[in-house]
Every structure is written in C-alpha cells, then in structure tokens.
Amino acid sequence: MIFVAIGFRSFQKGLTAIRRGPVFWEKDMRFKDLWSWNGTIDRGPYVLVGLIGLAVKHNVDRLVASFVFDKPWGFFNYWVSPIGVLSLDALPTEDAIFLLTMVTLSLPFIWVGVVLTLKRLRSVGLPSWCVWFLFLP
C-alpha cells in the first residue's frame, strides 16, 4: 500500500526525471547513508538497497537456521505466524533461543528499512508517520 502511494507521488513529481534518464544509484551515496535519518533517496537506490537487503537477510537467516540450529528455513518461513507463542516462557528453551536469535539478526535490517522508507517518504512529500505502514503484513 505504501509502495503504491510512494510510486504514484514519485510519478507525479518525477516527470522531469524521466527526460534526464533514470538514476539508479546516486553517485554520492555511501554505506553510512543507510544508517542516517537525514536526506532523501530516489526510487532506484531505494529498490536496489531493498532487494539486496532481502537477499542478504534471507541467506543469513537460512545459514543461521540451518548450520547453527539445524532447522530448515525457506522463503515462506517469514509468513509463518508463531500462533502458540504468547510468551517466551511457553516455548522450549531451544526454540526461544532460536526466536531471539532471529529477531536479533533482523534488527539492523529493520533499522535500514525504516531509515530508507523515511527518506523515500521525505523525497515524495508524504508525512513521516506513513513509515508505520512498513510494519503491516
């Protein structure tokens, strides 16, 4: 939903950008810019960083789940809801450690996603509170 709004607003404002040609990566963008709240980001770098982050995150999760915890991990494991988990006390110790490890591994990716989405929202002139839509399933 948020991607449609960002894309539409970007389309409205970016008609002149089409004439200059697509900018897929900003030349002055650095790794440290992924962690900073300041500035804006164009749609090309936003999508590129998102796709690279998805690939890295999935493979890190797969490697940790497979080699550390000896559990199978596939792409659809992200949509499996922990229905029976009301608290960590309800889980066996091994599963609780696994869940905490996976959550801990996701924190840098969540941070980058929030920061880049805030920058993108700022780029297209949408309010910052729309970043909460990032967390909707």
Side-chain angles (χ1 to χ4, degrees), residues 56-86:
V56 170
K57 171 78 170 94
H58 174 68
N59 283 305
V60 167
D61 289 349
R62 187 176 53 84
L63 290 172
V64 169
S66 298
F67 293 117
V68 177
F69 293 98
D70 198 29
K71 293 182 181 276
W73 191 264
F75 192 74
F76 293 106
N77 283 93
Y78 296 110
W79 285 280
V80 175
S81 175
I83 295 171
V85 181
L86 298 176

PDB file of all heavy atoms in Angstrom, residues 56-86:
ATOM      1  N   VAL A  56      20.376 -10.631   1.240  1.00  0.00           N
ATOM      2  CA  VAL A  56      21.332 -10.836   2.327  1.00  0.00           C
ATOM      3  C   VAL A  56      20.627 -11.384   3.559  1.00  0.00           C
ATOM      4  O   VAL A  56      21.087 -12.351   4.180  1.00  0.00           O
ATOM      5  CB  VAL A  56      22.086  -9.521   2.645  1.00  0.00           C
ATOM      6  CG1 VAL A  56      22.890  -9.643   3.919  1.00  0.00           C
ATOM      7  CG2 VAL A  56      22.982  -9.123   1.490  1.00  0.00           C
ATOM      8  N   LYS A  57      19.500 -10.786   3.928  1.00  0.00           N
ATOM      9  CA  LYS A  57      18.761 -11.202   5.124  1.00  0.00           C
ATOM     10  C   LYS A  57      18.300 -12.655   5.004  1.00  0.00           C
ATOM     11  O   LYS A  57      18.447 -13.445   5.942  1.00  0.00           O
ATOM     12  CB  LYS A  57      17.555 -10.280   5.332  1.00  0.00           C
ATOM     13  CG  LYS A  57      16.589 -10.725   6.410  1.00  0.00           C
ATOM     14  CD  LYS A  57      17.116 -10.395   7.779  1.00  0.00           C
ATOM     15  CE  LYS A  57      16.067 -10.597   8.837  1.00  0.00           C
ATOM     16  NZ  LYS A  57      16.129 -11.912   9.452  1.00  0.00           N
ATOM     17  N   HIS A  58      17.742 -13.006   3.874  1.00  0.00           N
ATOM     18  CA  HIS A  58      17.257 -14.376   3.704  1.00  0.00           C
ATOM     19  C   HIS A  58      18.406 -15.379   3.821  1.00  0.00           C
ATOM     20  O   HIS A  58      18.272 -16.409   4.473  1.00  0.00           O
ATOM     21  CB  HIS A  58      16.549 -14.551   2.368  1.00  0.00           C
ATOM     22  CG  HIS A  58      16.171 -15.963   2.098  1.00  0.00           C
ATOM     23  ND1 HIS A  58      15.212 -16.637   2.819  1.00  0.00           N
ATOM     24  CD2 HIS A  58      16.669 -16.863   1.212  1.00  0.00           C
ATOM     25  CE1 HIS A  58      15.114 -17.868   2.387  1.00  0.00           C
ATOM     26  NE2 HIS A  58      15.987 -18.033   1.401  1.00  0.00           N
ATOM     27  N   ASN A  59      19.530 -15.079   3.199  1.00  0.00           N
ATOM     28  CA  ASN A  59      20.644 -16.019   3.239  1.00  0.00           C
ATOM     29  C   ASN A  59      21.285 -16.093   4.615  1.00  0.00           C
ATOM     30  O   ASN A  59      21.689 -17.175   5.045  1.00  0.00           O
ATOM     31  CB  ASN A  59      21.672 -15.684   2.163  1.00  0.00           C
ATOM     32  CG  ASN A  59      21.197 -16.138   0.802  1.00  0.00           C
ATOM     33  OD1 ASN A  59      20.877 -17.301   0.609  1.00  0.00           O
ATOM     34  ND2 ASN A  59      21.110 -15.215  -0.134  1.00  0.00           N
ATOM     35  N   VAL A  60      21.376 -14.985   5.324  1.00  0.00           N
ATOM     36  CA  VAL A  60      21.885 -15.022   6.699  1.00  0.00           C
ATOM     37  C   VAL A  60      20.951 -15.857   7.567  1.00  0.00           C
ATOM     38  O   VAL A  60      21.404 -16.717   8.341  1.00  0.00           O
ATOM     39  CB  VAL A  60      22.052 -13.595   7.267  1.00  0.00           C
ATOM     40  CG1 VAL A  60      22.263 -13.614   8.770  1.00  0.00           C
ATOM     41  CG2 VAL A  60      23.201 -12.875   6.582  1.00  0.00           C
ATOM     42  N   ASP A  61      19.649 -15.623   7.451  1.00  0.00           N
ATOM     43  CA  ASP A  61      18.682 -16.407   8.219  1.00  0.00           C
ATOM     44  C   ASP A  61      18.770 -17.894   7.884  1.00  0.00           C
ATOM     45  O   ASP A  61      18.735 -18.752   8.770  1.00  0.00           O
ATOM     46  CB  ASP A  61      17.254 -15.924   7.961  1.00  0.00           C
ATOM     47  CG  ASP A  61      16.966 -14.576   8.581  1.00  0.00           C
ATOM     48  OD1 ASP A  61      17.792 -14.107   9.384  1.00  0.00           O
ATOM     49  OD2 ASP A  61      15.909 -14.003   8.257  1.00  0.00           O
ATOM     50  N   ARG A  62      18.885 -18.192   6.617  1.00  0.00           N
ATOM     51  CA  ARG A  62      18.960 -19.583   6.172  1.00  0.00           C
ATOM     52  C   ARG A  62      20.214 -20.262   6.719  1.00  0.00           C
ATOM     53  O   ARG A  62      20.156 -21.397   7.209  1.00  0.00           O
ATOM     54  CB  ARG A  62      18.945 -19.633   4.643  1.00  0.00           C
ATOM     55  CG  ARG A  62      18.856 -21.012   4.051  1.00  0.00           C
ATOM     56  CD  ARG A  62      18.743 -20.953   2.529  1.00  0.00           C
ATOM     57  NE  ARG A  62      19.789 -20.162   1.906  1.00  0.00           N
ATOM     58  CZ  ARG A  62      21.008 -20.632   1.617  1.00  0.00           C
ATOM     59  NH1 ARG A  62      21.314 -21.868   1.893  1.00  0.00           N
ATOM     60  NH2 ARG A  62      21.896 -19.852   1.023  1.00  0.00           N
ATOM     61  N   LEU A  63      21.341 -19.567   6.654  1.00  0.00           N
ATOM     62  CA  LEU A  63      22.588 -20.146   7.148  1.00  0.00           C
ATOM     63  C   LEU A  63      22.558 -20.347   8.659  1.00  0.00           C
ATOM     64  O   LEU A  63      22.986 -21.388   9.160  1.00  0.00           O
ATOM     65  CB  LEU A  63      23.772 -19.262   6.747  1.00  0.00           C
ATOM     66  CG  LEU A  63      24.104 -19.245   5.259  1.00  0.00           C
ATOM     67  CD1 LEU A  63      25.154 -18.189   4.945  1.00  0.00           C
ATOM     68  CD2 LEU A  63      24.566 -20.616   4.797  1.00  0.00           C
ATOM     69  N   VAL A  64      22.054 -19.353   9.387  1.00  0.00           N
ATOM     70  CA  VAL A  64      21.989 -19.480  10.844  1.00  0.00           C
ATOM     71  C   VAL A  64      21.013 -20.587  11.234  1.00  0.00           C
ATOM     72  O   VAL A  64      21.312 -21.418  12.097  1.00  0.00           O
ATOM     73  CB  VAL A  64      21.601 -18.132  11.496  1.00  0.00           C
ATOM     74  CG1 VAL A  64      21.258 -18.303  12.963  1.00  0.00           C
ATOM     75  CG2 VAL A  64      22.731 -17.138  11.334  1.00  0.00           C
ATOM     76  N   ALA A  65      19.845 -20.610  10.616  1.00  0.00           N
ATOM     77  CA  ALA A  65      18.854 -21.643  10.948  1.00  0.00           C
ATOM     78  C   ALA A  65      19.379 -23.035  10.611  1.00  0.00           C
ATOM     79  O   ALA A  65      19.211 -23.976  11.397  1.00  0.00           O
ATOM     80  CB  ALA A  65      17.548 -21.378  10.211  1.00  0.00           C
ATOM     81  N   SER A  66      20.026 -23.170   9.476  1.00  0.00           N
ATOM     82  CA  SER A  66      20.488 -24.488   9.038  1.00  0.00           C
ATOM     83  C   SER A  66      21.708 -24.979   9.799  1.00  0.00           C
ATOM     84  O   SER A  66      21.734 -26.108  10.279  1.00  0.00           O
ATOM     85  CB  SER A  66      20.824 -24.459   7.544  1.00  0.00           C
ATOM     86  OG  SER A  66      19.691 -24.152   6.796  1.00  0.00           O
ATOM     87  N   PHE A  67      22.730 -24.130   9.904  1.00  0.00           N
ATOM     88  CA  PHE A  67      24.004 -24.592  10.444  1.00  0.00           C
ATOM     89  C   PHE A  67      24.132 -24.429  11.951  1.00  0.00           C
ATOM     90  O   PHE A  67      24.847 -25.187  12.592  1.00  0.00           O
ATOM     91  CB  PHE A  67      25.169 -23.894   9.739  1.00  0.00           C
ATOM     92  CG  PHE A  67      25.286 -24.282   8.291  1.00  0.00           C
ATOM     93  CD1 PHE A  67      25.126 -23.340   7.297  1.00  0.00           C
ATOM     94  CD2 PHE A  67      25.525 -25.594   7.924  1.00  0.00           C
ATOM     95  CE1 PHE A  67      25.216 -23.689   5.964  1.00  0.00           C
ATOM     96  CE2 PHE A  67      25.613 -25.962   6.595  1.00  0.00           C
ATOM     97  CZ  PHE A  67      25.462 -25.004   5.621  1.00  0.00           C
ATOM     98  N   VAL A  68      23.468 -23.443  12.521  1.00  0.00           N
ATOM     99  CA  VAL A  68      23.568 -23.238  13.969  1.00  0.00           C
ATOM    100  C   VAL A  68      22.477 -24.016  14.706  1.00  0.00           C
ATOM    101  O   VAL A  68      22.743 -24.659  15.715  1.00  0.00           O
ATOM    102  CB  VAL A  68      23.502 -21.738  14.315  1.00  0.00           C
ATOM    103  CG1 VAL A  68      23.525 -21.524  15.816  1.00  0.00           C
ATOM    104  CG2 VAL A  68      24.660 -20.985  13.659  1.00  0.00           C
ATOM    105  N   PHE A  69      21.240 -23.951  14.194  1.00  0.00           N
ATOM    106  CA  PHE A  69      20.113 -24.557  14.892  1.00  0.00           C
ATOM    107  C   PHE A  69      19.598 -25.838  14.249  1.00  0.00           C
ATOM    108  O   PHE A  69      18.657 -26.444  14.753  1.00  0.00           O
ATOM    109  CB  PHE A  69      18.970 -23.547  15.022  1.00  0.00           C
ATOM    110  CG  PHE A  69      19.311 -22.411  15.926  1.00  0.00           C
ATOM    111  CD1 PHE A  69      19.752 -21.202  15.423  1.00  0.00           C
ATOM    112  CD2 PHE A  69      19.201 -22.545  17.305  1.00  0.00           C
ATOM    113  CE1 PHE A  69      20.073 -20.152  16.256  1.00  0.00           C
ATOM    114  CE2 PHE A  69      19.523 -21.500  18.149  1.00  0.00           C
ATOM    115  CZ  PHE A  69      19.963 -20.299  17.623  1.00  0.00           C
ATOM    116  N   ASP A  70      20.159 -26.209  13.118  1.00  0.00           N
ATOM    117  CA  ASP A  70      19.765 -27.421  12.402  1.00  0.00           C
ATOM    118  C   ASP A  70      18.252 -27.454  12.120  1.00  0.00           C
ATOM    119  O   ASP A  70      17.574 -28.456  12.338  1.00  0.00           O
ATOM    120  CB  ASP A  70      20.195 -28.669  13.175  1.00  0.00           C
ATOM    121  CG  ASP A  70      20.203 -29.915  12.305  1.00  0.00           C
ATOM    122  OD1 ASP A  70      20.434 -29.769  11.083  1.00  0.00           O
ATOM    123  OD2 ASP A  70      19.945 -31.013  12.828  1.00  0.00           O
ATOM    124  N   LYS A  71      17.737 -26.302  11.646  1.00  0.00           N
ATOM    125  CA  LYS A  71      16.323 -26.186  11.299  1.00  0.00           C
ATOM    126  C   LYS A  71      16.222 -25.813   9.823  1.00  0.00           C
ATOM    127  O   LYS A  71      17.024 -25.046   9.319  1.00  0.00           O
ATOM    128  CB  LYS A  71      15.642 -25.099  12.138  1.00  0.00           C
ATOM    129  CG  LYS A  71      15.554 -25.426  13.607  1.00  0.00           C
ATOM    130  CD  LYS A  71      14.814 -24.323  14.343  1.00  0.00           C
ATOM    131  CE  LYS A  71      14.721 -24.613  15.803  1.00  0.00           C
ATOM    132  NZ  LYS A  71      13.620 -25.473  16.166  1.00  0.00           N
ATOM    133  N   PRO A  72      15.230 -26.346   9.132  1.00  0.00           N
ATOM    134  CA  PRO A  72      15.046 -25.940   7.733  1.00  0.00           C
ATOM    135  C   PRO A  72      14.528 -24.503   7.668  1.00  0.00           C
ATOM    136  O   PRO A  72      13.772 -24.059   8.542  1.00  0.00           O
ATOM    137  CB  PRO A  72      14.001 -26.928   7.219  1.00  0.00           C
ATOM    138  CG  PRO A  72      13.264 -27.369   8.427  1.00  0.00           C
ATOM    139  CD  PRO A  72      14.235 -27.329   9.569  1.00  0.00           C
ATOM    140  N   TRP A  73      14.949 -23.758   6.655  1.00  0.00           N
ATOM    141  CA  TRP A  73      14.499 -22.383   6.507  1.00  0.00           C
ATOM    142  C   TRP A  73      14.253 -22.100   5.043  1.00  0.00           C
ATOM    143  O   TRP A  73      15.123 -22.280   4.198  1.00  0.00           O
ATOM    144  CB  TRP A  73      15.551 -21.405   7.045  1.00  0.00           C
ATOM    145  CG  TRP A  73      15.019 -20.021   7.144  1.00  0.00           C
ATOM    146  CD1 TRP A  73      15.163 -19.017   6.234  1.00  0.00           C
ATOM    147  CD2 TRP A  73      14.246 -19.482   8.214  1.00  0.00           C
ATOM    148  NE1 TRP A  73      14.523 -17.892   6.667  1.00  0.00           N
ATOM    149  CE2 TRP A  73      13.945 -18.147   7.884  1.00  0.00           C
ATOM    150  CE3 TRP A  73      13.760 -19.992   9.398  1.00  0.00           C
ATOM    151  CZ2 TRP A  73      13.197 -17.327   8.709  1.00  0.00           C
ATOM    152  CZ3 TRP A  73      13.026 -19.170  10.216  1.00  0.00           C
ATOM    153  CH2 TRP A  73      12.752 -17.860   9.870  1.00  0.00           C
ATOM    154  N   GLY A  74      13.054 -21.661   4.740  1.00  0.00           N
ATOM    155  CA  GLY A  74      12.691 -21.297   3.377  1.00  0.00           C
ATOM    156  C   GLY A  74      12.138 -19.886   3.348  1.00  0.00           C
ATOM    157  O   GLY A  74      11.958 -19.240   4.379  1.00  0.00           O
ATOM    158  N   PHE A  75      11.851 -19.427   2.146  1.00  0.00           N
ATOM    159  CA  PHE A  75      11.376 -18.055   1.986  1.00  0.00           C
ATOM    160  C   PHE A  75      10.028 -17.831   2.682  1.00  0.00           C
ATOM    161  O   PHE A  75       9.754 -16.753   3.196  1.00  0.00           O
ATOM    162  CB  PHE A  75      11.268 -17.710   0.500  1.00  0.00           C
ATOM    163  CG  PHE A  75      11.066 -16.255   0.248  1.00  0.00           C
ATOM    164  CD1 PHE A  75      12.106 -15.362   0.407  1.00  0.00           C
ATOM    165  CD2 PHE A  75       9.827 -15.775  -0.110  1.00  0.00           C
ATOM    166  CE1 PHE A  75      11.924 -14.016   0.198  1.00  0.00           C
ATOM    167  CE2 PHE A  75       9.624 -14.428  -0.334  1.00  0.00           C
ATOM    168  CZ  PHE A  75      10.677 -13.543  -0.178  1.00  0.00           C
ATOM    169  N   PHE A  76       9.189 -18.859   2.725  1.00  0.00           N
ATOM    170  CA  PHE A  76       7.862 -18.697   3.306  1.00  0.00           C
ATOM    171  C   PHE A  76       7.853 -18.777   4.826  1.00  0.00           C
ATOM    172  O   PHE A  76       6.817 -18.586   5.446  1.00  0.00           O
ATOM    173  CB  PHE A  76       6.887 -19.711   2.694  1.00  0.00           C
ATOM    174  CG  PHE A  76       6.638 -19.446   1.242  1.00  0.00           C
ATOM    175  CD1 PHE A  76       7.199 -20.251   0.264  1.00  0.00           C
ATOM    176  CD2 PHE A  76       5.872 -18.363   0.844  1.00  0.00           C
ATOM    177  CE1 PHE A  76       6.990 -19.990  -1.075  1.00  0.00           C
ATOM    178  CE2 PHE A  76       5.661 -18.088  -0.493  1.00  0.00           C
ATOM    179  CZ  PHE A  76       6.226 -18.900  -1.456  1.00  0.00           C
ATOM    180  N   ASN A  77       8.982 -19.043   5.443  1.00  0.00           N
ATOM    181  CA  ASN A  77       9.058 -19.032   6.905  1.00  0.00           C
ATOM    182  C   ASN A  77       8.805 -17.635   7.483  1.00  0.00           C
ATOM    183  O   ASN A  77       8.483 -17.499   8.655  1.00  0.00           O
ATOM    184  CB  ASN A  77      10.418 -19.531   7.384  1.00  0.00           C
ATOM    185  CG  ASN A  77      10.526 -21.028   7.287  1.00  0.00           C
ATOM    186  OD1 ASN A  77      10.997 -21.538   6.274  1.00  0.00           O
ATOM    187  ND2 ASN A  77      10.088 -21.723   8.304  1.00  0.00           N
ATOM    188  N   TYR A  78       8.960 -16.603   6.676  1.00  0.00           N
ATOM    189  CA  TYR A  78       8.690 -15.246   7.152  1.00  0.00           C
ATOM    190  C   TYR A  78       7.198 -15.017   7.373  1.00  0.00           C
ATOM    191  O   TYR A  78       6.817 -14.097   8.078  1.00  0.00           O
ATOM    192  CB  TYR A  78       9.236 -14.211   6.172  1.00  0.00           C
ATOM    193  CG  TYR A  78      10.735 -14.269   6.047  1.00  0.00           C
ATOM    194  CD1 TYR A  78      11.339 -14.726   4.893  1.00  0.00           C
ATOM    195  CD2 TYR A  78      11.543 -13.873   7.104  1.00  0.00           C
ATOM    196  CE1 TYR A  78      12.715 -14.778   4.777  1.00  0.00           C
ATOM    197  CE2 TYR A  78      12.921 -13.922   7.000  1.00  0.00           C
ATOM    198  CZ  TYR A  78      13.499 -14.373   5.836  1.00  0.00           C
ATOM    199  OH  TYR A  78      14.856 -14.439   5.737  1.00  0.00           O
ATOM    200  N   TRP A  79       6.353 -15.814   6.746  1.00  0.00           N
ATOM    201  CA  TRP A  79       4.907 -15.644   6.892  1.00  0.00           C
ATOM    202  C   TRP A  79       4.289 -16.618   7.887  1.00  0.00           C
ATOM    203  O   TRP A  79       3.087 -16.608   8.082  1.00  0.00           O
ATOM    204  CB  TRP A  79       4.210 -15.789   5.540  1.00  0.00           C
ATOM    205  CG  TRP A  79       4.414 -14.582   4.701  1.00  0.00           C
ATOM    206  CD1 TRP A  79       3.747 -13.413   4.787  1.00  0.00           C
ATOM    207  CD2 TRP A  79       5.364 -14.421   3.650  1.00  0.00           C
ATOM    208  NE1 TRP A  79       4.225 -12.523   3.863  1.00  0.00           N
ATOM    209  CE2 TRP A  79       5.226 -13.119   3.148  1.00  0.00           C
ATOM    210  CE3 TRP A  79       6.324 -15.250   3.087  1.00  0.00           C
ATOM    211  CZ2 TRP A  79       5.993 -12.626   2.109  1.00  0.00           C
ATOM    212  CZ3 TRP A  79       7.105 -14.759   2.058  1.00  0.00           C
ATOM    213  CH2 TRP A  79       6.926 -13.464   1.582  1.00  0.00           C
ATOM    214  N   VAL A  80       5.096 -17.460   8.484  1.00  0.00           N
ATOM    215  CA  VAL A  80       4.595 -18.397   9.482  1.00  0.00           C
ATOM    216  C   VAL A  80       4.411 -17.641  10.791  1.00  0.00           C
ATOM    217  O   VAL A  80       5.351 -17.069  11.329  1.00  0.00           O
ATOM    218  CB  VAL A  80       5.559 -19.588   9.676  1.00  0.00           C
ATOM    219  CG1 VAL A  80       5.095 -20.482  10.804  1.00  0.00           C
ATOM    220  CG2 VAL A  80       5.693 -20.364   8.377  1.00  0.00           C
ATOM    221  N   SER A  81       3.205 -17.625  11.274  1.00  0.00           N
ATOM    222  CA  SER A  81       2.897 -16.894  12.499  1.00  0.00           C
ATOM    223  C   SER A  81       3.139 -17.783  13.711  1.00  0.00           C
ATOM    224  O   SER A  81       2.692 -18.929  13.737  1.00  0.00           O
ATOM    225  CB  SER A  81       1.432 -16.450  12.480  1.00  0.00           C
ATOM    226  OG  SER A  81       1.095 -15.842  13.690  1.00  0.00           O
ATOM    227  N   PRO A  82       3.817 -17.261  14.720  1.00  0.00           N
ATOM    228  CA  PRO A  82       4.001 -18.049  15.953  1.00  0.00           C
ATOM    229  C   PRO A  82       2.722 -18.000  16.792  1.00  0.00           C
ATOM    230  O   PRO A  82       2.640 -17.330  17.812  1.00  0.00           O
ATOM    231  CB  PRO A  82       5.176 -17.354  16.636  1.00  0.00           C
ATOM    232  CG  PRO A  82       5.143 -15.955  16.130  1.00  0.00           C
ATOM    233  CD  PRO A  82       4.553 -16.014  14.753  1.00  0.00           C
ATOM    234  N   ILE A  83       1.693 -18.711  16.346  1.00  0.00           N
ATOM    235  CA  ILE A  83       0.367 -18.650  16.964  1.00  0.00           C
ATOM    236  C   ILE A  83       0.389 -19.099  18.419  1.00  0.00           C
ATOM    237  O   ILE A  83      -0.198 -18.473  19.282  1.00  0.00           O
ATOM    238  CB  ILE A  83      -0.648 -19.499  16.159  1.00  0.00           C
ATOM    239  CG1 ILE A  83      -0.824 -18.895  14.771  1.00  0.00           C
ATOM    240  CG2 ILE A  83      -1.974 -19.594  16.879  1.00  0.00           C
ATOM    241  CD1 ILE A  83      -1.619 -19.751  13.836  1.00  0.00           C
ATOM    242  N   GLY A  84       1.075 -20.184  18.708  1.00  0.00           N
ATOM    243  CA  GLY A  84       1.082 -20.722  20.056  1.00  0.00           C
ATOM    244  C   GLY A  84       1.997 -19.998  21.017  1.00  0.00           C
ATOM    245  O   GLY A  84       2.068 -20.355  22.183  1.00  0.00           O
ATOM    246  N   VAL A  85       2.685 -18.964  20.554  1.00  0.00           N
ATOM    247  CA  VAL A  85       3.654 -18.280  21.403  1.00  0.00           C
ATOM    248  C   VAL A  85       3.027 -17.014  21.985  1.00  0.00           C
ATOM    249  O   VAL A  85       2.886 -16.005  21.313  1.00  0.00           O
ATOM    250  CB  VAL A  85       4.915 -17.905  20.599  1.00  0.00           C
ATOM    251  CG1 VAL A  85       5.917 -17.212  21.498  1.00  0.00           C
ATOM    252  CG2 VAL A  85       5.509 -19.125  19.965  1.00  0.00           C
ATOM    253  N   LEU A  86       2.615 -17.096  23.233  1.00  0.00           N
ATOM    254  CA  LEU A  86       2.122 -15.913  23.924  1.00  0.00           C
ATOM    255  C   LEU A  86       3.230 -15.271  24.741  1.00  0.00           C
ATOM    256  O   LEU A  86       3.216 -14.085  25.012  1.00  0.00           O
ATOM    257  CB  LEU A  86       0.931 -16.265  24.819  1.00  0.00           C
ATOM    258  CG  LEU A  86      -0.287 -16.801  24.078  1.00  0.00           C
ATOM    259  CD1 LEU A  86      -1.367 -17.199  25.066  1.00  0.00           C
ATOM    260  CD2 LEU A  86      -0.819 -15.765  23.101  1.00  0.00           C
TER     261      LEU A  86
END
